[in-house]
Amino acid sequence: MEPRSVLPGAWLGLLGGGQLGRMFCMAAQSLGYKVAVLDPADDSPAGSVADRHLRADYLDGRALAELAALCRAATTEFENVPAAALDFLARSARVTPLAASVAIAQDRISEKTFLAGHGFAVAPFAVLRSTDDARGVDAALVPGIVKSARFGYDGKGQVRVATPSDVVAAFSAMRGQPCVLERFVTLACEVSVIVARNERGETTTWPVAENRHRDGILDVSIVPARVDAGVAARARDIACAVAEALDYRGVLCVEMFVAADGALLVNEIAPRPHNSGHYTIDACVTSQFEQQARVLADLPLGDPSQHTPAVMLNLLGDVWFDAGASAPREPDWRAVLAHPRAKLHLYGKAEPRPARKMGHVTCLGERLDDALATARAIKAALRIPDDLP
Ligand SMILES: Nc1ncnc2c1ncn2[C@@H]1O[C@H](COP(=O)(O)OP(=O)(O)O)[C@@H](O)[C@H]1O
Ligand SMILES: [Mg+2]
């Protein structure tokens, strides 16, 4: 049967108004689509570039009905979007990803249970639903990290624990929210693979990204990752297998730990484009956002090949503040753009706050070392701490 594509000129719907949605809007508009964004904020990164912004809660019946009437296909940029909103839209429109995939990724307990149940290696973990669970944990799981099952991101909702009694204290500090305890893994590095899969099971993956975090937040992605070819190939295979196990439709990020012996453990999955894939806009034939639109519209998948080595540097709100200052000032964008192969992306957020993702810079280079040198120079100019190896 011929696929029933939603062709350029039509409306696409998007749940969520953040920067991932903004970059999706821009890519979809570039292909000739109109985009309607449902997001409760007055002024959001995606709402301000969308062709229409429905300002309402994700479960607002009227707004969902309006979106359903306008759009033949809809997606999300926000993994905590209520599954009920996706299910409602799926009654009349093509929806990617499926609500079931989003529901698994929204909850660390279902995510880890799903991954382990399908044979993927994960860090040893235990589920904590009660104080008794916390009291009874296997001592082999510490030192570790207690993570809230829901609504954690950028290291939020996580507590490091060194002893079994720390686990009890950390669980009670989470005020009874279900959690997982994960054993602390000694990492050689962290990598991610972004995979796109359509409803016919065709998949593409981008090259492996090497991710470096600062204070639990992604600082830099280096692509291609400086890992053995065998590790990179296995990482891409794992990402495809996770997408297959989920019968996934859309763009999915699989974050992995590389252990000292080269073993790969799946850390977490994100049912959407990912911060570690922002470099694809400038360094690949097809970006993760264009691919998201292609899968959503059921168009042929684009070529994910990387044409230029890249280092993506996140710009957090911290960059707007001089040491000790309480009022922000505009960063020196001329110093960034003085590097002709640095591509600046700002998300249009009105208020810079420390740790808030405000934008990113993708540094391109003839060789990866050239891109790394540009990233170091930009970090120095913006006074971002630099431990780039
Ligand atoms: N079990 C672990 N062992 C070692 N480091 C970990 C472990 N779990 C998390 N981390 C570190 O914390 C970061 C954030 O944890 P993650 O589970 O990915 O949560 P988030 O949703 O905040 O990204 C990881 O990228 C990694 O650097
Ligand atoms: Mg993470």
Side-chain angles (χ1 to χ4, degrees):
M1 200 177 79
E2 266 299 287
R4 286 172 303 140
S5 301
V6 178
L7 293 173
W11 282 87
L12 301 177
L14 176 70
L15 298 173
Q19 63 267 17
L20 299 172
R22 177 183 178 95
M23 291 181 270
F24 167 79
C25 281
M26 290 171 158
Q29 288 167 332
S30 200
L31 285 169
Y33 292 98
K34 292 181 164 48
V35 184
V37 167
L38 173 59
D39 183 85
D42 258 334
D43 163 31
S44 68
S48 62
V49 301
D51 296 278
R52 190 172 301 178
H53 178 198
L54 305 174
R55 194 172 66 75
D57 187 81
Y58 300 118
L59 289 172
D60 183 287
R62 261 172 62 184
L64 282 172
E66 196 177 337
L67 200 64
L70 190 62
C71 303
R72 285 182 49 209
T75 186
T76 172
E77 61 107 42
F78 173 54
E79 69 199 71
N80 289 316
V81 69
L86 295 174
D87 281 332
F88 177 87
L89 293 171
R91 287 195 233 147
S92 61
R94 175 201 302 285
V95 173
T96 62
L98 302 175
S101 304
V102 175
I104 290 171
Q106 273 172 356
D107 184 301
R108 288 190 201 274
I109 296 173
S110 56
E111 178 182 64
K112 297 219 173 275
T113 308
F114 177 88
L115 290 166
H118 283 79
F120 296 101
V122 298
F125 73 101
V127 174
L128 310 181
R129 293 186 195 277
S130 68
T131 310
D132 280 348
D133 291 346
R135 286 205 187 98
V137 293
D138 183 346
L141 289 177
V142 292
I145 307 180
V146 172
K147 303 181 179 182
S148 68
R150 296 181 67 90
F151 303 115
Y153 68 100
D154 289 346
K156 293 189 177 70
Q158 301 194 2
V159 183
R160 299 264 170 124
V161 289
T163 64
S165 64
D166 287 353
V167 176
V168 179
F171 179 74
S172 73
M174 298 279 189
R175 297 155 172 268
Q177 288 181 81
C179 295
V180 297
L181 164 65
E182 237 181 79
R183 194 171 78 200
F184 198 81
V185 180
T186 306
L187 308 175
C189 65
E190 293 185 65
V191 298
S192 58
V193 174
I194 300 171
V195 49
R197 185 174 185 276
N198 66 18
E199 61 197 63
R200 282 175 300 288
E202 295 160 350
T203 56
T204 60
T205 57
W206 282 269
V208 180
E210 174 184 340
N211 300 324
R212 302 182 59 87
H213 299 81
R214 223 157 19 88
D215 302 328
I217 306 176
L218 185 67
D219 178 34
V220 165
S221 290
I222 300 166
V223 201
R226 297 164 298 175
V227 295
D228 289 348
V231 172
R234 273 192 288 124
R236 287 172 92 150
D237 286 348
I238 289 170
C240 289
V242 171
E244 177 89 49
L246 288 165
D247 189 18
Y248 195 78
R249 288 117 202 246
V251 172
L252 173 77
C253 178
V254 180
E255 290 182 39
M256 289 171 249
F257 296 145
V258 185
D261 61 358
L264 286 164
L265 303 175
V266 178
N267 171 29
E268 60 174 352
I269 60 179
R272 50 169 173 75
H274 191 261
N275 197 168
S276 64
H278 290 357
Y279 81 93
T280 60
I281 295 174
D282 299 304
C284 295
V285 177
T286 305
S287 75
Q288 60 174 349
F289 302 104
E290 178 180 338
Q291 204 79 306
Q292 182 183 15
R294 284 171 176 256
V295 175
L296 176 61
D298 202 15
L299 296 174
L301 293 172
D303 176 1
S305 305
Q306 184 177 7
H307 49 68
T308 313
V311 176
M312 191 276 329
L313 175 60
N314 261 344
L315 300 175
L316 304 182
D318 307 65
V319 168
W320 273 249
F321 293 87
D322 284 321
S326 56
R329 45 107 189 102
E330 204 59 21
D332 184 1
W333 301 129
R334 288 185 61 88
V336 175
L337 296 167
H339 298 275
R341 309 202 79 185
K343 309 294 289 183
L344 176 65
H345 299 259
L346 292 170
Y347 307 146
K349 296 183 184 178
E351 193 199 341
R353 286 194 299 266
R356 187 176 200 201
K357 290 175 179 170
M358 300 294 290
H360 70 270
V361 185
T362 301
C363 305
L364 300 173
E366 205 63 54
R367 295 170 308 132
L368 191 56
D369 279 346
D370 303 325
L372 279 163
T374 303
R376 280 194 196 97
I378 291 173
K379 279 192 152 203
L382 296 178
R383 297 199 200 99
I384 302 172
D386 180 11
D387 53 1
L388 276 178

